[in-house]
Amino acid sequence: MACRDNPGMTTSTTPTPDAGFGMLALSPAMLENLQALGYATMTPIQAASLPLALLGRDLIAQAATGSGKTAAFGLALLANLNPRRFAVQALVLCPTRELADQVATEIRRLARAADNVKVVTLCGGVPLRGQTASLEHGAHIVVGTPGRVMDHLERGTLDIGALNTLVLDEADRMLDMGFFDDIATVARQCPKERQTLLFSATYPEGIARLAQQFMRSPRTITVQSQHAPGRIRQRWYEVRETERLHAVAQALAHFRPASTLSFCNTKARCRDLGDVLRGQGFSALALYGELEQRERDQVLVRFANRSCSVLVATDVAARGLDIAQLEMVVNVDVAPDAEVHVHRIGRTGRVGQADVQGLAINFASLDEMGAVGRIEQLQKAQTHWSPLGELTPASSEPLAPPMATLQIAGGRKEKIRAGDVLGALTGEAGFTREQVGRINVNDFSTYVAVDRRIAAEAARRLSAGRIKGRTVKVRLLELDD
């Protein structure tokens, strides 16, 4: 972990990564809420950035997805917030709708310690009308994508005159997507006397340009993207190009993980691998840039619900995803950048899952050995190769996901809450709490994970019963939907 200033500035010490949140200048109510949420000790990026952020300093923080950065900037902007003032006081820009939804959800959890803090999400893919209505009712924090935030600024439906904190999350990804001008347009409309917090996994040239134009003497913090010894097992296999996709199926049949994220370098490879895996009986979905928003939402929900065994994705599409209990990562292609490889495999064996050792399976052809060497240099470890022939099926039974997902026609706009769905399933429908998994309530639809063995019957009973006093349409999502 490193901390550096612009020339002429002094360096402050930061707490050790195992420090508790009690040493920070946070309210007793916030500390109590953090304890209730399971935040025991700070992650390295939280320990390095929070003391400075709480002092109002501008920060450039370099840290990978899953390192705890959302809580780092979330706690800082909440500490700077006056809940009694009904005006937008914090704005978080994210590259994708998926990440914006995750960030908004986590900020709402962190905000439970304060009274009636309202968080509004502004992203493309949904009608402007509903977002405008939400803003008219008052918002303290806005989380959104640059294009949709610009739309609201241009229409006059978003007022950021009272803004005191601007957060740029996954700034490198936003730059990759061509959002520099959009970010600049939004930043120019923010009050000059504000705090700016920039978080990025890598440090491309555009970050320095943003800092020079829109930040005030920012402190730069870097947390090395390495993993705890023993947290992740890596296995490497040399493959010919013609056997690469089949080798993924071999690995799945051999290790039989409940949840796998497979990375491909291209959209075409994603589509091909998804077809191959489904053809061999695996529950696999693909995630890449050309999918419509509704399709992306369903894919992500079903994978997070553990109702799909394998998610095949490009780095761009998977950016910002944080899937709990991810047992295995497969690098179908070697990552073109060594840092990207570290970020990929870091999604399994996460800190906080003490009983889980992640598994990373890597396939490489002779043409990719140069990239393998760069990964060895970064990780300061030699690659150990295993024979492809060891990947034999561990069972004759198909690898089926433990859960299935039901889609309910109705969501927040119909005042449906997660508790309503859980109550319907465990009440009149007669199922147990243990048979119900994650419940995701969106604006117009709700997704609920249930034990695969009861899925068809659960869909039938919900359709025949009532949620919030009304009948609803329910369907079981299958792979060909």
Side-chain angles (χ1 to χ4, degrees), residues 3-155:
C3 176
R4 62 183 185 271
D5 299 299
N6 284 355
M9 301 186 67
T10 59
T11 301
S12 307
T13 58
T14 57
T16 57
D18 59 351
F21 288 90
M23 69 179 299
L24 300 173
L26 298 173
S27 69
M30 177 61 80
L31 293 173
E32 186 177 342
N33 184 46
L34 287 171
Q35 186 175 15
L37 293 174
Y39 284 87
T41 58
M42 289 186 275
T43 65
I45 191 60
Q46 292 164 358
S49 63
L50 271 168
L52 296 166
L54 291 171
L55 290 174
R57 294 293 305 271
D58 281 12
L59 292 183
I60 300 172
Q62 187 174 347
T65 296
S67 58
K69 58 186 175 58
T70 303
F73 64 71
L75 289 172
L77 66 83
L78 286 169
N80 216 13
L81 197 74
N82 179 2
R84 291 183 296 276
R85 185 179 186 187
F86 284 96
V88 176
Q89 299 167 55
L91 172 62
V92 184
L93 293 182
C94 302
T96 66
R97 177 182 172 184
E98 293 80 32
L99 181 58
D101 286 339
Q102 289 183 23
V103 167
T105 297
E106 187 60 18
I107 290 176
R108 289 188 185 102
R109 281 165 31 95
L110 294 170
R112 289 176 188 169
D115 292 331
N116 198 29
V117 172
K118 186 174 180 184
V119 184
V120 171
T121 307
L122 303 180
C123 301
V126 296
L128 277 161
R129 184 174 60 256
Q131 296 176 351
T132 300
S134 295
L135 290 170
E136 287 174 348
H137 286 101
H140 297 99
I141 302 166
V142 167
V143 183
T145 49
R148 183 50 65 93
V149 168
M150 276 183 55
D151 283 347
H152 282 282
L153 288 172
E154 289 170 359
R155 294 167 183 266

Side-chain angles (χ1 to χ4, degrees), residues 6 8 19 27 41 124 131 183 195 215 237 254 301 303 322 350 354 370 382 403 417 424-425 435 465 470 477:
N6 284 355
S27 69
T41 58
Q131 296 176 351
I183 295 170
Q195 181 181 26
M215 302 182 77
Y237 300 91
H254 180 79
V301 165
F303 186 60
D322 191 9
R350 283 283 171 83
Q382 188 173 354
M403 310 295 281
R417 299 174 304 163
L425 283 165
Q435 292 174 306
R470 70 168 86 179
L477 295 181

Side-chain angles (χ1 to χ4, degrees), residues 411-432:
R412 279 191 290 264
K413 297 299 183 181
E414 288 76 33
K415 309 298 183 186
I416 290 178
R417 299 174 304 163
D420 301 323
V421 178
L422 179 61
L425 283 165
T426 58
E428 185 180 346
F431 298 107
T432 66

Side-chain angles (χ1 to χ4, degrees), residues 30 66 136 141 166 216 227 257 283-285 291 310 317 330 334 355 369 422 444:
M30 177 61 80
E136 287 174 348
I141 302 166
L166 172 64
R216 298 179 298 171
H227 312 293
S283 171
L285 293 170
L291 293 181
V310 189
V330 177
V334 179
D355 58 336
M369 291 305 167
L422 179 61
F444 301 104

Side-chain angles (χ1 to χ4, degrees), residues 108 111 124 126 155 178 181 185 247 274 336 338 344 357 423 443 480:
R108 289 188 185 102
V126 296
R155 294 167 183 266
D181 290 340
T185 299
R344 284 179 177 183
Q357 183 185 44
D443 283 344
D480 55 357

